[in-house]
Amino acid sequence: MNLDQVSKDKALQTVANLSSAQIVSASVMKPQTPFPPPVRFWPSPIPGQPGHSQDIKPFAQPYSTLAAPVPTPINYEPLPTPRPAAIAAPVWQDRTIASEKLRLLEYSAFLETQREPDTYKHLFVHIGQSNPGYSDPVLESVDVRQIYDKFPEKKGGLKELYEKGPHNAFFLVKFWADLSSDVEEGSGAFYGVSSQYSGTENITISVSTKVCSFGKQVVEKVETEYARMEGGKYMFRIHRSPMCEYMINFIHKLKHLPEKYMMNSVLENFTILQVVSNRETQETLLCIAFVFEVSTSEHGAQYHVYRLVKD
């Protein structure tokens, strides 16, 4: 037997004595030719396909049958004209005496005398119609707690009403009343109050007017008014409602005080609370607290409106 044959027999004997695990280990230990780096389909990400950091999933169908992606056509449309930020609320809602459902358009207390052929009218207080714009300032605010003591605290008072809400329905009006009337107060004199409102619903409103002295209710007048459709809005009008006897006597006595500072001293403890509500649901639509001073202006009655808040 030659040398080559002997070497082969020894090699075969060695392999036969190795386990399967040893065979695998021995093959791993042997030098291997390195594999070339994996080849990707595309050198960079393709829209709609995984990038380098993702695994490329097998296609559900052969690559040759996939259709090229068709871009979705884009239709360009003009953008709508930008609207003011406050368009969600009507322009008058933050600038006049108005809640979401009801707006006070006009309010006046007056003396009227008839002398043929003319009628003479004097305005003690007056709030006229206005048409504010978005450039006009919003109403100033006053903490409602500052005036609690000027109005009744019992059931139905300002405090209870405010806590019930809605808070955006509460306002304070400071009147500078014109008492410099030169109208002759004869037997034909008429003292009246007129008011006008516009609303968003076809409802019946109840208007409660409470006259208060030193924070206590002296007299209350309750009126009912039905909606009338005009120009796409529901209108409510209380026209020439007779002033109560208490108010007429109060005005007479006030006018006969010799000095305006005396009048203002009396008016400091005189207030009126008007509450407009839905007659069916009792929901408060507007609540207006009136406070007074005597006007010293040559232009007659003046007023200023505040929103009542609770910080």
Side-chain angles (χ1 to χ4, degrees):
M1 183 180 295
N2 57 28
L3 184 60
D4 291 338
Q5 186 63 41
V6 174
S7 299
K8 290 179 180 179
D9 291 340
K10 287 183 177 181
L12 290 172
Q13 185 64 34
T14 301
V15 172
N17 293 329
L18 290 174
S19 66
S20 60
Q22 289 172 318
I23 293 173
V24 173
S25 299
S27 64
V28 170
M29 296 300 296
K30 292 174 67 177
Q32 301 289 333
T33 303
F35 288 103
V39 178
R40 297 189 181 278
F41 289 105
W42 303 280
S44 60
I46 284 191
Q49 300 296 338
H52 289 303
S53 61
Q54 298 171 285
D55 294 332
I56 299 176
K57 306 298 181 184
F59 292 110
Q61 52 183 313
Y63 174 73
S64 59
T65 63
L66 290 177
V70 178
T72 304
I74 301 176
N75 296 321
Y76 293 96
E77 296 182 0
L79 294 174
T81 304
R83 298 183 297 174
I87 198 67
V91 62
W92 39 261
Q93 190 166 315
D94 296 322
R95 295 167 176 83
T96 63
I97 302 173
S99 65
E100 293 180 358
K101 296 183 178 181
L102 194 71
R103 177 187 178 189
L104 175 67
L105 298 178
E106 193 168 5
Y107 181 90
S108 62
F110 56 89
L111 166 62
E112 196 173 85
T113 58
Q114 185 74 40
R115 288 185 302 187
E116 296 297 339
D118 300 318
T119 299
Y120 294 87
K121 186 174 184 178
H122 174 79
L123 295 173
F124 296 117
V125 295
H126 178 63
I127 298 175
Q129 294 199 34
S130 62
N131 295 295
Y134 283 107
S135 60
D136 293 323
V138 298
L139 297 178
E140 300 173 67
S141 298
V142 168
D143 194 314
V144 66
R145 290 170 292 189
Q146 294 184 18
I147 61 171
Y148 275 165
D149 62 337
K150 292 184 175 296
F151 297 91
E153 295 184 2
K154 63 180 182 179
K155 184 175 178 60
L158 178 59
K159 183 177 180 180
E160 181 184 275
L161 286 168
Y162 191 85
E163 290 175 352
K164 180 182 176 182
H167 293 165
N168 65 0
F170 288 76
F171 299 87
L172 169 67
V173 175
K174 172 67 177 290
F175 274 130
W176 286 267
D178 183 6
L179 298 179
S180 60
S181 168
D182 55 2
V183 177
E184 295 182 8
E185 301 179 18
S187 58
F190 173 78
Y191 289 80
V193 178
S194 292
S195 56
Q196 182 176 330
Y197 312 84
S198 69
T200 60
E201 299 176 348
N202 184 13
I203 59 173
T204 301
I205 63 172
S206 174
V207 182
S208 164
T209 304
K210 297 178 181 179
V211 177
C212 308
S213 178
F214 290 92
K216 305 297 182 181
Q217 177 179 320
V218 178
V219 64
E220 179 183 16
K221 184 176 185 178
V222 180
E223 299 169 279
T224 299
E225 185 61 30
Y226 301 91
R228 294 176 177 83
M229 176 61 76
E230 296 179 17
K233 298 178 182 179
Y234 294 105
M235 304 298 294
F236 305 86
R237 288 187 177 88
I238 298 178
H239 184 58
R240 292 173 55 82
S241 175
M243 196 177 292
C244 67
E245 195 66 28
Y246 176 90
M247 280 301 304
I248 295 174
N249 292 333
F250 180 81
I251 293 172
H252 282 165
K253 292 178 180 179
L254 199 62
K255 288 179 64 177
H256 285 88
L257 291 174
E259 301 291 342
K260 287 188 176 180
Y261 78 87
M262 296 179 181
M263 299 179 187
N264 285 332
S265 180
V266 173
L267 288 173
E268 186 177 346
N269 299 301
F270 173 83
T271 57
I272 293 177
L273 185 67
Q274 184 181 87
V275 181
V276 185
S277 58
N278 183 320
R279 193 182 68 170
E280 301 301 325
T281 66
Q282 305 303 311
E283 176 189 5
T284 299
L285 304 174
L286 280 180
C287 181
I288 310 169
F290 296 107
V291 295
F292 301 86
E293 279 190 23
V294 176
S295 174
T296 57
S297 171
E298 61 182 12
H299 302 294
Q302 308 289 316
Y303 72 96
H304 194 83
V305 181
Y306 303 87
R307 181 178 293 280
L308 288 174
V309 300
K310 190 175 182 180
D311 296 328

